[in-house]
Amino acid sequence: MKRSLIKDIARQRIARLLRFADEVVSINPEIARDCVEEALAIAKRCRVRIPRFWRRRICKKCHTLLKPGVNCRVRLRKKRSPHLTVTCLNCGYIARYPYK
């Protein structure tokens, strides 16, 4: 198969897995984590980048899909440079994203 076709199929499967994980995360977080880990494995194997929207919703330490109010805390900070702070409530990992 052509490399571009393989990457396209991988992108579609990653999107489908992450959408399913988003629906299931409040009901069963373990299934959601398994879906996220499978999507990350597909992306790594096929050398496909996960879109920024989904990348920022995945904890880099424990690979949980973050849903504000359910398993993560989101705060705006102004100290140093203004940034958005996302804290995973499962493992305690803190991700910071700058904004202007």
Side-chain angles (χ1 to χ4, degrees):
M1 286 175 46
K2 289 181 87 173
R3 188 79 182 145
S4 61
L5 181 63
I6 292 172
K7 285 191 174 194
D8 187 46
I9 292 170
R11 283 188 197 98
Q12 291 174 11
R13 184 149 184 231
I14 289 168
R16 189 177 305 129
L17 281 167
L18 292 175
R19 278 190 305 239
F20 177 72
D22 189 35
E23 294 170 5
V24 174
V25 72
S26 1
I27 302 164
N28 194 339
E30 290 302 318
I31 292 175
R33 181 180 297 139
D34 291 342
C35 289
V36 169
E37 287 179 353
E38 182 68 28
L40 291 172
I42 291 170
K44 193 174 187 180
R45 190 176 334 125
C46 297
R47 297 182 188 176
V48 174
R49 293 193 73 158
I50 294 177
R52 182 186 294 176
F53 171 76
W54 289 110
R55 219 178 15 218
R56 287 190 174 186
R57 294 190 60 199
I58 297 172
C59 177
K60 292 182 182 177
K61 188 174 178 185
C62 66
H63 300 273
T64 351
L65 190 69
L66 301 174
K67 197 163 193 173
V70 176
N71 60 358
C72 77
R73 179 175 51 233
V74 179
R75 299 285 187 257
L76 292 174
R77 300 292 180 193
K78 293 183 180 178
K79 291 183 180 178
R80 296 173 290 203
S81 61
H83 60 278
L84 177 81
T85 303
V86 180
T87 306
C88 176
L89 298 178
N90 291 336
C91 66
Y93 181 78
I94 299 172
R96 295 175 184 88
Y97 303 109
Y99 71 91
K100 288 195 174 193

